[in-house]
C-alpha cells in the first residue's frame, strides 16, 4: 500500500459526507453516444479531479434486464464548476445500471455517495501534464483540465474513440487531438499512436490517463519504456465504493489494492500491468 | 430501544454483518462524521485468520436479481497485523467491538480465541465456521460433531462471549445450533452467504476468480428467515439474525422469527448509513406499533433503559 | 437440437419442473392449442404419493424479490387416483411422460416404483426425495446413507430410468449425488425449492399455511448453478438442471455447468409458454454462437439428429 | 369438484389462446379511487362474464416495493364490447402490481393470459338475476350486466363502497343502488342491508355477487338463510391462473378447489363459508 500512500500524499483527498444523499437532476445533455447528467449537490463538497461517486436512481433501481441493477454504480465526476453546486457525470449505456441512469430526466433524483477515492496528484518536478483519454474515460480528464489550469499548464489532450458517435464526446474537453478506430474523425488508429508521437516531441511530461484496460496498459507500457511518469485512473467492478466489500481489488506490485479507497488513480509504477 | 446481548449493552438492535463494513476504510472515506453518527450498535470486524491472506483473485463480485455473489476469500492482515494495526484504531470506535475469527482447524481457532481473551478492547468473539469460500469453514459449521469438538476446545480459553456464526449450507442447521449451545456457545449468528455461482456471458467460463462464491442480499431473505426461525426454536441462547435486511420491516421479521438483534450486510453497500436507517425504521415500527414484533412484544424482554 | 436423455429421445433440452405445470388443467384452460404447441420436450407430472393428499392449508403463496415461496404440500389424488384418472390422459400428450413420486419411507417408494414399472405410458420415474414441505422428503435426500438404502431397495423393481431429484437443503449435495449414482440412479435432477419463510406484515404470524415453504425462481438461480456445477463434477450420469430459469441464457448457464437437459418451473407461471421460448432462445444462442455452451460444445455430445 | 362441474356445465367456458400475449393500452380512465385500463386484444376471444385474465406490464414488471411484482396478477374482465377487440379492466391500487399497472399509459403494453376460469352461469329456473357488488368486485358485474340483457332481465344492481371516492365506480354499472360505509353516497351501511331488503321484496332471484371476503360471506349466509341460490366470484392469491401451481385453493365442501380453474365463480352451495 506504500505506493498508494505516496500518490495519496500528493493529492488533497476530499472526504464524502457520511451516507447516501438524494440529488435532483438539473440537466441532461446528449453528446453522440454519451449522455451528460447534471445534478445539484448542495450538501456535498467540491470534488478533486479523479474522484468518483457511487450513483443509483432514487426510484426504480432494479427491475431492469435480469431484474438488475441492485448495487450502485461508480462514476468519475466529469465537472464540478466551483461557481455552482452542480456535479456533471458522463454516461455510456453498457448495461442495466447505466441504462437506467441515462433515462433520468429533470425532476428525477439520483442517490449519490461521494466524492470517493484518491484523485490525480500534481505533476512531478515541473513536468507538464499530458491528458490521454479513451471513450468514457475522458470524464475525469475534463475536470482535471478545468482545474488543472491552476496547478500547471497542460498540453493538448489526446483522446481516442471507437467512431464518430463516440468522438462527439471530444467537445467536452478543450482543444483535444482525436483518434478514432474507424478514422471517421481525426487520426485513424489508437490514441497511443498520438501519445508516442507526442512523447517523441516532448518527453518532459507526466501522463494522466483514463480509459479501457487495453488502452491503459498500452499507455503504461509506452510510458515505462520512455521513463515517463504516469497516473492511471482505473476501473473495476465495485459494490460499495468505500472499502467495505473488498470486491474491487486490482493486482499491483504491492499485492491486491482496493481500487475504491487506494485508487481509482494509481501511479503507473505501482502496476506490473493493467488487466 | 437499547438491547442487552451477551451482557453487552447495545443502544439499538442493529449491528453490521462481518466483512460488509470496514470502519477504518470508511473513516478514510467519510472522516469523523462516521464516528459522530456511527451506523451500528456494535462493530463486527471482518474475519481475521492466523496468517495474512491476499484473498481470491478478481473478479470477486457478481450482481444478481435482488442480491449479489461474492468470492472475496477472507483477505486480512492475519492475527499479528490485526493486533498491531487494526485493533488499536477499532478500539477508538464509539461502540463495542466484536472480533470475527476463522481458523483452519481447531488449533488455529484456539490460538485466535486465546489471543483476544485478554484484550479489553474486545467485547466478544465471533467464530466464522461457515464461510462458503473456504473449504474448512464449511466442514466445521455443517457438522454438529465438529462444532461440538471445536467449542469444547476453545470455550475454556476465554471468558468473553463466543458467538458461533452458522453456515446456511447445512442439512440440519438447528442440530448444529443445539450442538453449539450444548458445548458453551454464548450466542449464534446466521445466516452466512449461500454458495452460488455465475458464468461470464462472454467467455462461458466461471465469472468469479474463486469459481464459486456466496449469495447475499434480499434474494436470501426468505431463506434466512426460515433458518433463523428454526434455530431460535431450537436454542435458548440469543441469536443474531441476518440475511437480506434492507429495512426496519425486514429487521422486524427476523425479530419475529426469534432473533435478539439483527445485522445489516449487503445493504450497507447500497447505503453506507443503512444501519442507522434500519434502526430508526425499526423504532418507528415499534412506536406506531406498525409491527406486532415491536408492540412491546419481541423487543420487550430485551429492551433496557430507553 | 434434439437430445438423448436416459435413452429417451427429446426434441429439445427443455422439460418442465415437477409440480409447476398441470397438463390436464392447462388443457382445460387452453384447449388443444396446448397439445399443438406443447411447451416441453417431456412432461414431468406433479409428485404422486401412495395415499391421496389435500395439501397444505392456504395461503400457499408468497411473492419475493425475483421469486416466490410456496407451501403447496404435494396435493394429489394418490397412486390409485392417478392411475385411474390422470395417467390415461397424460398418455395422450405428444411427449414422453416422466412420473414424479414420493413415498413416506422406502416401502411406499417401492410400491410406487413397482406400480409404474409395467406401464408403457411411463418413460421414466423421478424420485422426489427433496420436497422441503414434507419432513421425510428432506431426510432421505439430505443423507447419502438413506439415499443408498432407498435406491438399493427400489432400483431392482423397474427397468425404467430412475431420476433422483436431490434436495438443495443438504450439507454435501455432491456426496448424496455420488451415493445415488453408485446405487443405480439413471440420472439426477436439481435443484428443488430451498426452505424459506415469510411473515404476514399485518398479523406478524407466519404467512404460509404450512408455516415454512420453498423458494423458487430467479432468486435461487445462482445457488442452483453452483449445486448443478458441483454435482456434474461429481457424477457421470446425466443431470437435469433447474432453478430460476427464465431465458435461453439461463438455460445455457446450466448446460455450461454440466447439465444434460434443463427444466423450467416458476417461469411457466409468468408465461405458460415459457418452455417454448426458452428452447428457441437456447437454439438461437446455439445458432449465432452467442454462448460457448452451445457452440457445438456442451450440446455436442448430447445432440442427436437435428 | 362435482358442484364445480355443475356450475361449469351451466356456462360456456371460453378458452384462452395458449401462452402470454402483448396487448397495447388503448385508453386509461380514472373513476375516483379506480382506474379503468383498456387494451386491444385482437388475437383473443371475447370472454364470458366472470372470467379473468392474468396481467403484467410488458415493461418494468419488478423493481417496485420489495423489488416486486414478480408474478402476474389476476383481474376480472370488466367489459369486452362485442363490437370492438378491446378488453376493459378495473384496478384499485393495493400494492406493487396494481400500482405498476395503474401507471400504464397509451402506447405501453400489457402481457395477458386469458380469458381464464369459469364465468357466471345462467339463472336457475327462471329466476331474475340480482347483482351484488362490493368495491372493485363490481368489475365482473359490469360485463354481466352488459351481456346479461341477452339471457335474463336483471334487477337493479346493489353496490357497496367504502366512501364517495370509491362510490364513483358505481357509474360503471347502469342504474345501481349504492351503499357506503360512511354514508357519503346512498344508503349508509352495508350492501347486504340493501340485499336483505330486496330479498324481502322479491325472493325469486338468483344472486350474482363479487366483492371482499367479508361481504361475500354475508351474502352467502343471507342467501342460504333465505334459500336463495347465489353465485359468488371469489378471489385468492394466484401465481399462474391456469391450474399449474395449486396455490390458489379455497376450502369447499368438496375439499380444496383451485380457484383459477374450478372458479373463480363458485356456487354458494359449494361453500361452508367464505374465508
Ligand atoms: C472508479 C470508476 C469510475 C467510473 N467512471 C465512469 C464514468 O465516468 N462513466 C461511465 O459511463 N462509466 C464509468 N465507470 C464504469 C461504470 O461504473 C460501469 O460502466 C457500470 O458499473 C456498468 O453498470 P451497468 O449495469 O450499466 O453494466 P453491467 O451490466 O454492470 O456491465 C458492465 C460490465 O460488468 C460485467 N457484468 C455483466 N453482468 C454482470 C453482473 N451480473 N454482475 C457483475 N458484473 C457484471 C461485464 O464485464 C460488463 O461488461 C466507472 C467505474 C469505476 C470503477
Ligand atoms: C379471479 C380474480 C379476479 C380479480 N379481479 C380484480 C379486479 O378486477 N380488479 C382488481 O383491482 N383486483 C382484482 N383482483 C385482485 C388482484 O389480483 C389483487 O389485488 C392483486 O393481485 C394485488 O397485487 P398487488 O401487487 O397490487 O398487491 P399485493 O402486494 O399482492 O397485496 C395484495 C394482498 O396480497 C397479500 N400480500 C402482500 N404481500 C405479499 C407477498 N409478498 N406475496 C404474496 N401476497 C402478498 C396481502 O394479503 C395483500 O393484502 C382479482 C383477483 C382474483 C383472484
Ligand atoms: C462482500 C461480503 C463479504 C463478507 N465477508 C464475510 C467475512 O469476512 N466473515 C463472515 O463471517 N461473513 C462474511 N460475509 C457474510 C455476511 O456477514 C452476512 O452473513 C451475509 O452477507 C448475509 O447478510 P446480508 O444479506 O445482509 O449481506 C460477507 C458477505 C459479503 C456480501
Ligand atoms: C408451486 C410449486 C410446486 C412444486 N411442486 C413440486 C412437486 O410436486 N414435486 C417436486 O419434485 N418439485 C416441486 N416443485 C419444485 C420444482 O420442481 C423446481 O424444483 C423448483 O421450483 C426450482 O425450479 P424453478 O426455480 O424454475 O421453479 C414445485 C415448485 C413450485 C414453485
Ligand atoms: S468497492 Fe467495495 S471495497 Fe471497493
Ligand atoms: S393460480 Fe396457480 S393453480 Fe390457481
Amino acid at each position: 500500500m506504500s505506493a498508494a500512500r505516496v500518490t495519496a500524499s500528493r493529492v488533497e483527498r476530499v472526504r464524502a459526507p457520511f451516507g447516501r444523499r438524494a440529488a435532483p437532476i438539473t440537466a441532461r445533455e446528449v453528446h453522440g453516444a454519451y449522455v451528460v447528467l447534471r445534478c445539484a449537490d448542495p450538501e456535498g463538497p467540491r470534488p478533486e479531479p479523479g474522484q468518483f461517486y457511487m450513483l443509483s436512481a432514487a426510484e426504480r433501481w432494479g427491475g431492469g434486464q435480469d431484474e438488475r441493477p441492485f448495487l450502485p454504480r461508480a462514476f468519475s465526476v466529469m465537472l464540478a464548476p466551483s461557481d455552482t453546486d452542480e456535479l456533471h457525470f458522463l454516461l455510456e449505456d453498457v448495461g442495466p445500471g447505466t441504462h437506467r441512469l441515462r433515462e433520468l430526466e429533470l425532476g428525477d433524483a439520483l442517490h449519490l455517495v461521494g466524492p470517493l477515492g484518491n484523485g490525480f496528484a500534481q505533476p512531478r518536478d515541473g513536468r507538464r501534464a499530458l491528458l490521454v483519454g479513451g471513450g468514457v474515460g475522458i470524464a475525469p480528464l475534463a475536470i482535471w483540465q478545468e482545474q488543472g489550469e491552476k496547478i500547471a499548464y497542460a498540453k493538448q489532450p489526446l483522446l481516442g474513440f471507437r467512431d464518430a458517435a463516440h468522438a462527439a464526446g471530444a467537445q467536452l474537453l478543450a482543444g483535444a487531438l482525436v483518434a478514432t478506430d474507424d478514422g471517421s474523425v481525426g487520426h485513424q488508429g489508437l490514441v497511443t499512436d498520438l501519445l508516442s508521437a507526442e512523447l517523441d516531441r516532448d518527453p518532459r511530461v507526466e501522463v494522466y490517463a483514463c480509459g479501457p484496460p487495453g488502452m491503459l496498459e498500452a499507455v503504461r507500457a509506452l510510458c515505462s519504456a520512455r521513463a515517463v511518469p504516469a497516473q492511471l485512473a482505473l476501473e473495476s467492478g465495485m459494490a460499495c465504493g468505500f472499502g467495505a466489500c473488498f470486491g474491487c481489488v486490482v493486482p499491483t506490485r504491492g499485492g491486491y489494492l482496493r481500487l475504491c479507497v487506494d485508487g481509482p488513480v494509481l501511479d503507473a509504477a505501482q502496476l506490473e500491468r493493467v488487466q | 430501544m437499547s438491547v442487552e446481548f451477551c451482557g453487552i449493552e447495545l443502544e439499538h438492535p442493529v449491528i453490521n454483518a462481518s466483512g460488509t463494513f470496514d470502519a477504518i476504510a470508511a473513516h478514510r472515506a467519510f472522516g469523523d462524521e462516521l464516528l459522530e453518527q456511527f451506523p451500528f450498535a456494535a462493530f463486527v470486524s471482518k474475519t481475521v485468520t492466523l496468517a495474512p491472506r491476499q484473498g481470491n483473485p478478481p473478479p470477486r463480485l457478481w450482481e444478481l436479481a435482488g442480491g449479489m455473489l461474492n468470492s472475496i476469500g477472507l483477505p486480512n492482515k492475519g492475527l499479528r497485523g490485526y493486533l498491531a494495526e487494526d485493533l488499536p484504531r477499532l478500539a477508538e470506535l464509539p461502540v463495542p467491538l466484536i472480533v470475527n475469527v476463522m481458523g483452519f482447524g481447531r488449533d488455529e481457532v484456539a490460538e485466535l480465541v486465546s489471543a483476544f481473551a485478554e484484550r479489553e478492547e474486545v467485547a466478544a468473539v465471533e467464530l466464522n465456521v461457515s464461510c462458503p469460500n473456504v473449504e474448512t469453514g464449511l466442514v466445521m459449521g455443517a457438522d454438529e460433531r465438529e462444532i461440538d469438538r471445536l467449542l469444547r476446545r476453545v470455550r475454556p480459553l476465554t471468558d468473553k462471549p463466543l458467538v458461533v456464526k452458522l453456515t446456511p449450507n447445512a442439512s440440519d442447521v438447528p442440530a448444529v445450533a443445539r450442538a453449539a449451545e450444548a458445548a458453551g456457545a454464548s450466542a449464534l449468528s446466521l445466516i452466512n452467504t449461500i454458495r452460488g455461482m455465475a458464468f461470464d456471458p462472454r467467455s462461458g467460463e466461471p465469472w468469479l476468480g474463486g469459481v464459486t462464491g456466496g449469495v447475499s442480499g434480499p434474494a436470501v431473505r426468505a431463506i434466512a428467515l426460515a433458518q433463523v426461525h428454526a434455530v431460535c426454536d431450537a436454542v435458548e441462547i440469543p441469536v443474531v439474525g441476518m440475511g437480506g435486511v434492507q429495512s426496519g420491516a425486514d429487521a422486524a421479521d427476523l425479530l419475529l422469527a426469534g432473533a435478539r438483534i439483527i445485522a445489516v450486510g449487503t445493504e450497507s453497500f447500497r447505503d453506507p448509513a443503512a444501519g442507522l436507517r434500519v434502526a430508526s425504521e425499526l423504532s418507528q415500527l415499534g412506536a406506531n406499533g406498525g409491527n406486532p414484533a415491536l408492540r412491546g412484544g419481541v423487543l420487550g424482554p430485551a429492551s433496557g433503559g430507553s
Side-chain angles (χ1 to χ4, degrees), chain A, chain B:
Chain A
M1 274 173 62
S2 51
R5 289 249 174 67
V6 173
T7 313
S9 69
R10 285 165 53 226
V11 62
E12 189 39 57
R13 183 201 189 109
V14 175
R15 294 208 158 70
F18 179 56
R20 177 178 78 177
R21 56 197 186 274
I25 301 296
T26 52
R28 179 179 184 282
E29 309 155 5
V30 177
H31 295 269
Y34 303 107
V35 162
V36 172
L37 272 190
R38 298 189 188 189
C39 67
D41 181 31
E43 302 151 55
R46 301 282 80 193
E48 289 295 324
Q51 288 193 295
F52 69 98
Y53 290 74
M54 296 301 286
L55 302 185
S56 52
E59 302 284 318
R60 288 175 38 216
W61 193 245
Q65 164 216 323
D66 288 335
E67 305 189 39
R68 298 164 53 220
F70 169 71
L71 298 163
R73 300 295 195 251
F75 295 89
S76 307
V77 59
M78 187 191 78
L79 281 180
S82 47
D83 55 343
T84 75
D85 62 9
E86 277 193 333
L87 300 173
H88 302 207
F89 297 100
L90 182 66
L91 279 68
E92 179 169 17
D93 182 346
V94 300
T98 48
H99 182 80
R100 172 68 184 121
L101 291 170
R102 281 175 59 117
E103 287 174 2
L104 294 179
E105 284 166 2
L106 229 78
D108 294 339
L110 282 174
H111 272 153
L112 59 80
V113 177
L116 297 164
N118 298 320
F120 292 110
Q122 309 230 358
R124 274 159 271 213
D125 38 57
R127 290 169 173 268
R128 295 176 68 193
L130 175 56
L131 308 184
V132 182
V136 81
I138 66 176
L141 305 181
I143 180 172
W144 193 100
Q145 188 181 53
E146 187 205 43
Q147 301 188 12
E149 315 304 331
K150 303 183 220 110
I151 53 178
Y153 64 107
K155 305 210 125 207
Q156 177 177 45
L158 311 178
L159 307 181
F161 298 97
R162 201 173 315 150
D163 52 31
H166 290 79
Q171 73 203 51
L172 296 164
L173 272 78
L177 194 60
V178 173
T180 51
D181 301 351
D182 63 4
S184 52
V185 180
H187 166 76
Q188 164 150 24
L190 301 173
V191 68
T192 40
D193 304 342
L194 306 178
L195 175 58
S196 72
E198 178 59 31
L199 292 183
D200 293 339
R201 213 171 295 117
D202 172 8
R204 287 280 306 150
V205 298
E206 177 153 355
V207 170
Y208 292 74
C210 184
M215 174 205 129
L216 289 181
E217 171 53 19
V219 169
R220 188 205 57 77
L222 195 54
C223 291
S224 79
R226 312 275 190 107
V228 169
Q231 299 179 39
L232 310 178
L234 274 61
E235 288 189 10
S236 71
M238 294 186 172
C240 70
F242 61 97
C245 74
F246 285 78
C248 62
V249 294
V250 294
T252 72
R253 297 181 191 278
Y256 291 132
L257 283 188
R258 282 174 290 178
L259 200 67
C260 66
V261 283
D262 296 325
V265 176
L266 296 182
D267 193 305
Q270 295 175 256
L271 302 166
E272 207 94 23
R273 55 190 318 287
V274 178
Q275 285 167 341
Chain B
M1 41 195 285
S2 74
V3 184
E4 179 275 338
F5 174 73
C6 298
I8 310 164
E9 193 67 20
L10 303 179
E11 269 194 17
H12 58 75
V14 181
I15 68 174
N16 67 297
S18 174
T20 65
F21 202 92
D22 178 338
I24 296 171
H27 188 248
R28 277 173 68 194
F30 302 117
D32 292 339
E33 250 191 50
L34 173 72
L35 307 178
E36 289 149 18
Q37 18 176 328
F38 198 73
F40 306 108
F43 180 73
V44 183
S45 57
K46 185 166 175 65
T47 295
V48 179
T49 54
L50 205 50
R53 293 170 56 87
Q54 279 277 344
N56 291 332
R60 293 176 170 185
L61 303 171
W62 180 257
E63 186 177 62
L64 303 172
M68 61 180 281
L69 192 52
N70 84 83
S71 69
I72 306 301
L74 304 180
N76 77 102
K77 299 171 180 168
L79 177 60
R80 229 173 259 85
Y82 182 85
L83 290 172
E85 297 177 36
D86 294 358
L87 189 55
R89 298 162 75 176
L90 295 176
E92 290 163 17
L93 293 177
V95 299
L97 174 64
I98 299 174
V99 177
N100 177 297
V101 302
M102 174 170 127
F104 297 81
R106 289 189 286 281
D107 294 346
E108 283 195 15
V109 180
E111 191 170 344
L112 288 155
V113 169
S114 310
F116 292 106
E118 301 313 321
R119 310 296 299 240
E120 268 83 38
E121 311 94 310
V122 177
V125 175
E126 182 173 56
L127 306 180
N128 176 6
V129 294
S130 53
C131 180
N133 299 351
V134 180
E135 288 324 309
T136 55
L138 173 70
V139 175
M140 286 200 211
D143 175 27
E144 48 263 56
R145 286 169 304 278
E146 275 286 322
I147 281 290
D148 176 71
R149 283 194 216 95
L150 174 67
L151 275 141
R152 301 211 178 279
R153 171 74 188 280
V154 304
R155 174 69 281 185
L157 304 176
T158 182
D159 304 331
K160 295 194 190 295
L162 283 179
V163 183
V164 175
K165 186 164 183 182
L166 302 170
T167 174
N169 304 300
S171 311
D172 191 350
V173 179
V176 177
R178 275 188 298 269
E181 179 179 42
S186 318
L188 303 171
S189 59
L190 70 163
I191 66 171
N192 206 317
T193 56
I194 301 176
R195 203 178 309 95
M197 185 178 187
F199 285 90
D200 183 336
R202 293 210 190 75
S203 69
E205 296 299 314
W207 172 265
L208 295 171
V211 183
T212 63
V215 180
S216 64
V220 305
R221 191 186 298 146
I223 299 169
L225 209 49
Q227 292 202 3
V228 168
H229 184 257
V231 165
C232 291
D233 277 357
V235 302
E236 299 296 321
I237 51 179
V239 167
V240 186
M242 70 189 94
V245 172
Q246 296 188 288
S247 68
D250 300 336
D253 280 348
L254 285 165
L255 296 177
L256 272 175
R260 168 64 60 94
I261 62 176
I262 71 102
V264 170
T266 300
E267 185 65 4
S268 293
F269 303 158
R270 290 161 38 107
D271 176 3
L276 284 177
R277 179 170 50 77
V278 169
S280 71
E281 287 170 1
L282 199 49
S283 63
Q284 277 311 310
L285 282 171
N288 59 37
N291 189 309
L294 306 172
R295 288 198 217 95
V298 174
L299 276 186
S303 59
S306 69

